[in-house]
Amino acid sequence: MSIYVTDGSFEGLLCAVFASYRSPAPTAIVDAAVYQTNLFDDIIEVSTDEAIALRVLKGIDVATDGQASRLCLMIFLSEFGDANLLVYRLIRKIMRVRGADFLGNYADNDVLRAAQIRKMMGREIHRMHAFIRFQKAADGAYYALIDPDFDVVPLLDDHFVRRFADMQWRIFDVRRHYGIAYDGQAVRMIDSLGGFIDDTRAQLDEAMLDKQEKAFQGLWKVYFDSVNIKARNNEKHHVRQLPKRYWKYLSEKQPLRAEQLGEINLRRAR
């Protein structure tokens, strides 16, 4: 059994695919951080080289009119057990067939599986676009916590940079303990929020929020409640469109606190 051992990154996976042209076909492509050595495994250690990874990405995009690189990244980020080998097989087939139509050939099991994963990832990305709620912190930046089913953080930056180009913001995945930060100029990866998270609740620490943030959240909750037509309430449809697993990070789904009600009444009085 030929086991390709990488650093667990997408670039490392692409380098493993490149190495497979000079080595036996892999039976598994694994992350060195979690792999447990087996006496009978034929281990092939793969070094990550960004130039080689970029060469592979360019090659598959040229062969598919720019369709393959994002698809392969989606498969990798899906975290399915078969993701690494699926990317390997797909790239090998793409470079052999060299045609944009190949990715529409659903008679091929790997192409079909890739399309299914792309659909699931696309649905999760769409939900993040809709359900992410930013909260303004005392440092002037906006923070959002997420817990998606798939690792979609690297696929969110384009949308939010376009939508909030004049803001500084952070989107942090509490399950995978990393996120992205935008400073108004560029996006970078981050591995913590520097004390802004209340670990006991997996929420932003209220002490770190901007003074007016709680009041604005209260106003949003009142608006959310007021536009709801209670006589036409359809709980099943609501949960289908807004699954409950996302509710803990939606400000409109949190109960109003006494101080928020007081602030709202004060603003109404003015």
Side-chain angles (χ1 to χ4, degrees):
M1 297 176 62
S2 297
I3 308 296
Y4 285 47
V5 181
T6 73
D7 63 357
S9 66
F10 182 54
E11 292 80 3
L13 173 57
L14 296 175
C15 290
V17 176
F18 185 84
S20 70
Y21 283 91
R22 306 186 306 273
S23 304
T27 53
I29 303 175
V30 300
D31 182 351
V34 298
Y35 172 64
Q36 295 183 346
T37 305
N38 187 305
L39 181 63
F40 301 101
D41 288 345
D42 177 19
I43 298 174
I44 299 174
E45 295 185 358
V46 179
S47 298
T48 299
D49 186 321
E50 291 188 2
I52 290 176
L54 184 59
R55 178 178 171 183
V56 174
L57 284 179
K58 287 182 176 179
I60 60 178
D61 270 348
V62 167
T64 60
D65 291 341
Q67 300 179 48
S69 61
R70 184 175 176 84
L71 174 60
C72 288
L73 177 59
M74 280 186 166
I75 296 169
F76 172 76
L77 294 174
S78 72
E79 303 174 324
F80 284 115
D82 63 341
N84 286 351
L85 283 180
L86 177 58
V87 169
Y88 157 75
R89 293 193 302 269
L90 202 61
I91 291 178
R92 292 295 297 256
K93 289 178 179 179
I94 287 171
M95 298 309 293
R96 183 172 66 251
V97 175
R98 290 184 175 273
D101 294 341
F102 172 68
L103 292 179
N105 178 20
Y106 300 128
D108 184 286
N109 289 334
D110 289 330
V111 174
L112 178 61
R113 174 65 173 157
Q116 292 169 339
I117 292 176
R118 175 170 54 194
K119 184 176 181 179
M120 288 185 283
M121 290 288 288
R123 185 182 298 118
E124 191 72 352
I125 292 168
H126 176 72
R127 284 174 173 165
M128 291 298 101
H129 292 170
F131 299 155
I132 278 180
R133 298 291 184 267
F134 285 103
Q135 300 180 59
K136 188 176 182 181
D139 64 356
Y142 291 80
Y143 292 77
L145 300 181
I146 61 174
D147 183 14
D149 290 343
F150 306 113
D151 184 5
V152 297
V153 168
L155 303 172
L156 299 177
D157 55 345
D158 288 348
H159 172 83
F160 287 100
V161 167
R162 289 195 303 269
R163 188 170 182 183
F164 303 114
D166 60 343
M167 291 168 42
Q168 296 185 32
W169 46 259
R170 315 280 187 269
I171 299 174
F172 194 79
D173 186 332
V174 297
R175 183 189 306 185
R176 298 167 183 87
H177 305 291
Y178 87 104
I180 52 177
Y182 179 66
D183 60 5
Q185 299 293 328
V187 176
R188 59 184 174 85
M189 292 290 181
I190 54 175
D191 57 12
S192 75
L193 288 182
F196 276 78
I197 293 182
D198 179 352
D199 292 328
T200 62
R201 302 182 304 125
Q203 296 282 342
L204 287 173
D205 190 333
E206 291 187 3
M208 308 297 287
L209 295 179
D210 181 80
K211 293 180 180 179
Q212 291 186 316
E213 178 62 28
K214 294 179 184 178
F216 285 130
Q217 287 184 24
L219 289 170
W220 171 241
K221 292 171 192 174
V222 170
Y223 169 78
F224 182 80
D225 183 65
S226 65
V227 298
N228 178 41
I229 304 174
K230 292 180 172 57
R232 299 179 63 183
N233 190 50
N234 187 332
E235 186 69 18
K236 289 184 179 179
H237 179 73
H238 180 65
V239 172
R240 186 162 58 248
Q241 298 298 320
L242 183 57
K244 286 189 175 181
R245 64 181 179 276
Y246 299 107
W247 288 15
K248 60 184 175 181
Y249 297 117
L250 299 178
S251 55
E252 63 267 29
K253 287 297 185 181
Q254 310 309 312
L256 278 168
R257 294 185 293 272
E259 65 270 20
Q260 289 176 322
L261 284 170
E263 181 67 24
I264 291 168
N265 292 330
L266 180 61
R267 288 175 179 270
R268 285 173 173 172
R270 292 173 181 172

